[in-house]
Amino acid sequence: MNCIDIIEKIESEHSASKEEYAFLLKNISAGERELLRKKAQKTALNVFGNKVFIRGLIEISSVCKNDCRYCGIRKSNRNAVRYRLTKEQILECCKNGYGLGFRTFVLQGGEDGYFTDEVMTDIVSTVRKEYPDCAITLSLGERGYQSFKKLFEAGANRYLLRHETADMEHYNKLHPNEMSFERRRQSLFWLKEIGYQTGAGFMVGSPYQTFETLAEDLIFIKELNPEMCGIGPFIPHKDTEYRNYPSGSLELTLTLLSIIRLLKPDILLPATTALGTVDAKGREMGILHGANVVMPNLSPAEHRADYSLYDNKICTGDEAAECIKCLSGRMKSIGYQIVTDRGDYCPNERKQKDV
Ligand code: 5AD
Ligand code: FES
């Protein structure tokens, strides 16, 4: 077994074994990383051209009933400033975003009991009515089958729910006892079954992660077959027990982006804000390693800093308009272009714009 053989196998067969993934992640050299990067970039260029999709992220609530050990807005963090946006504020963000060219709105928040099915279906159906040409993505944690279904029927199209780790022991180290590994996985399969374009994902370099647990993440991605996959480095938050753990590595995150691109050539793969936080050029590098989505922040400027999952998050002081200008410039600087279509998942490697 050597790394080049494994990279070529992933490219041609779109899969590998757990041992092969772990071996590759452990042993890949700088030269092999570059080979992998080139293959991933080429694959993304074949499917999407030099186009990068944008998603307008609206952080609707910093209230959360969960206590994930790594997360800055965990329930027991008394220093976290809690806010929730009103329906009117959310619609205002959409209006602002629409004017800036966004055709996907991502409503993300902690698991906040205020946003019951009744409240949330009202918000989703209003956005659906006012913006019939836009995609609505939800990222609101676990909600149960019926709730997911109601929101889908109200007009939501996509749902982001990172699996966080595909290894049960690892999951239980990152989360309190009340949270269930099985339920998280079950939720993801429900979302797919209901018809959402579904996004899984995980942090790179989270405490207790190993090359073996990362290999399991790759196998899980293959098994679930999600339309989207959000991965970014773990970054410590000062008010969590993991405050002294190091951030996940830029290089390893980029390597995983490239592997995922080869595993699923048509997957929607963001260069995340966390990646832009660990390195000033992180998002540009993400795109050059096979990512094809960026998610600028559309949240009201006065609440940005309070949606603090990890320390030193970028873009917390910028208006959405500045962010999009900055990102277009960044993408241009590497030969890519931001596009304003919905950017739906589109199987069989057809070009997105053919739909
Ligand atoms: N560092 C990086 N990512 C984090 N997330 C939560 N806390 C952190 C952190 N400290 C990620 C989780 C979650 C997503 C919304 O943000 O993967 O699913
Ligand atoms: Fe937000 Fe650059 S992307 S300021």
Side-chain angles (χ1 to χ4, degrees):
M1 194 154 51
N2 71 55
C3 289
I4 296 193
D5 290 344
I6 299 171
I7 292 169
E8 282 173 356
K9 174 170 173 185
I10 297 173
E11 185 186 27
S12 58
E13 296 176 23
H14 308 299
S15 79
S17 67
K18 181 176 167 185
E19 291 67 34
E20 287 167 328
Y21 289 131
F23 181 91
L24 177 63
L25 293 170
K26 220 176 278 179
N27 297 296
I28 189 166
S29 68
E32 290 156 349
R33 256 181 233 285
E34 182 56 14
L35 174 83
L36 173 65
R37 185 198 72 75
K38 283 206 179 105
K39 287 182 186 295
Q41 186 187 18
K42 197 172 121 212
T43 303
L45 282 168
N46 280 338
V47 182
F48 304 100
N50 70 338
K51 310 282 187 279
V52 175
F53 295 126
I54 48 170
R55 318 297 194 197
L57 184 63
I58 307 172
E59 295 154 337
I60 69 170
S61 174
S62 68
V63 178
C64 191
K65 71 170 167 56
N66 284 336
D67 226 358
C68 305
R69 296 185 204 279
Y70 46 82
C71 181
I73 63 166
R74 65 200 302 250
K75 171 178 71 182
S76 61
N77 180 10
R78 292 178 180 208
N79 296 327
V81 180
R82 309 292 174 175
Y83 72 88
R84 63 171 68 99
L85 302 186
T86 61
K87 179 181 175 189
E88 290 66 37
Q89 284 175 305
I90 295 170
L91 290 169
E92 192 57 36
C93 292
C94 295
K95 189 172 158 195
N96 183 18
Y98 194 89
L100 293 167
F102 288 94
R103 295 296 176 268
T104 293
F105 303 121
V106 183
L107 309 187
Q108 182 176 89
E111 291 192 17
D112 178 353
Y114 170 82
F115 289 98
T116 56
D117 292 348
E118 206 185 337
V119 171
M120 217 46 231
T121 49
D122 174 49
I123 293 171
V124 169
S125 54
T126 308
V127 177
R128 172 52 54 242
K129 208 164 64 221
E130 293 191 12
Y131 300 97
D133 57 334
C134 292
I136 302 172
T137 304
L138 300 177
S139 177
L140 301 169
E142 294 173 16
R143 295 182 71 97
Y145 184 87
Q146 287 306 330
S147 174
F148 288 146
K149 194 151 186 277
K150 280 185 203 155
L151 295 172
F152 185 76
E153 284 160 3
N157 313 95
R158 309 181 188 144
Y159 206 105
L160 308 177
L161 181 67
R162 291 187 176 180
H163 64 284
E164 311 297 359
T165 169
D167 181 277
M168 183 160 74
E169 262 178 49
H170 185 212
Y171 188 93
N172 290 336
K173 283 194 172 127
L174 296 177
H175 300 96
N177 290 340
E178 299 77 58
M179 289 180 71
S180 143
F181 173 73
E182 263 314 313
R183 204 158 73 97
R184 177 60 59 109
R185 290 169 76 103
Q186 176 64 260
S187 301
L188 281 159
F189 286 101
W190 281 338
L191 290 165
K192 291 266 302 185
E193 184 188 319
I194 291 166
Y196 281 101
Q197 294 173 40
T198 303
F202 54 93
M203 294 177 286
V204 177
S206 61
Y208 306 105
Q209 185 174 69
T210 62
F211 292 121
E212 283 70 28
T213 66
L214 282 170
E216 290 178 69
D217 288 320
L218 295 171
I219 291 191
F220 179 66
I221 294 296
K222 204 57 202 171
E223 178 195 345
L224 175 69
N225 197 22
E227 286 76 19
M228 307 171 280
C229 184
I231 74 169
F234 160 77
I235 302 172
H237 187 287
K238 59 182 183 339
D239 296 321
T240 65
E241 69 191 90
Y242 294 145
R243 65 181 70 84
N244 294 323
Y245 280 70
S247 287
S249 115
L250 170 73
E251 268 190 355
L252 184 57
T253 308
L254 295 171
T255 300
L256 283 153
L257 282 173
S258 295
I259 294 175
I260 292 170
R261 171 59 64 211
L262 294 184
L263 276 184
K264 282 205 42 117
D266 49 16
I267 200 167
L268 296 162
L269 193 61
T272 56
T273 305
L275 191 57
T277 298
V278 292
D279 190 288
K281 290 265 186 296
R283 286 167 301 176
E284 291 90 321
M285 284 191 260
I287 299 296
L288 295 171
H289 283 74
N292 74 312
V293 174
V294 288
M295 300 174 69
N297 202 316
L298 275 185
S299 307
E302 71 265 31
H303 293 300
R304 293 274 180 96
D306 299 333
Y307 195 79
S308 167
L309 308 183
Y310 48 82
D311 290 336
N312 306 316
K313 188 174 160 202
I314 53 168
C315 298
T316 51
D318 301 282
E319 290 295 341
E322 291 170 47
C323 239
I324 186 88
K325 216 161 73 194
C326 161
L327 262 176
S328 321
R330 286 170 179 270
M331 295 301 118
K332 255 186 223 144
S333 77
I334 53 165
Y336 283 74
Q337 193 189 343
I338 277 179
V339 287
T340 60
D341 40 291
R342 277 176 46 137
D344 281 299
Y345 174 74
C346 185
N348 304 326
E349 303 182 38
R350 275 181 299 150
K351 291 244 165 65
Q352 300 271 318
K353 60 175 185 279
D354 291 345
V355 171

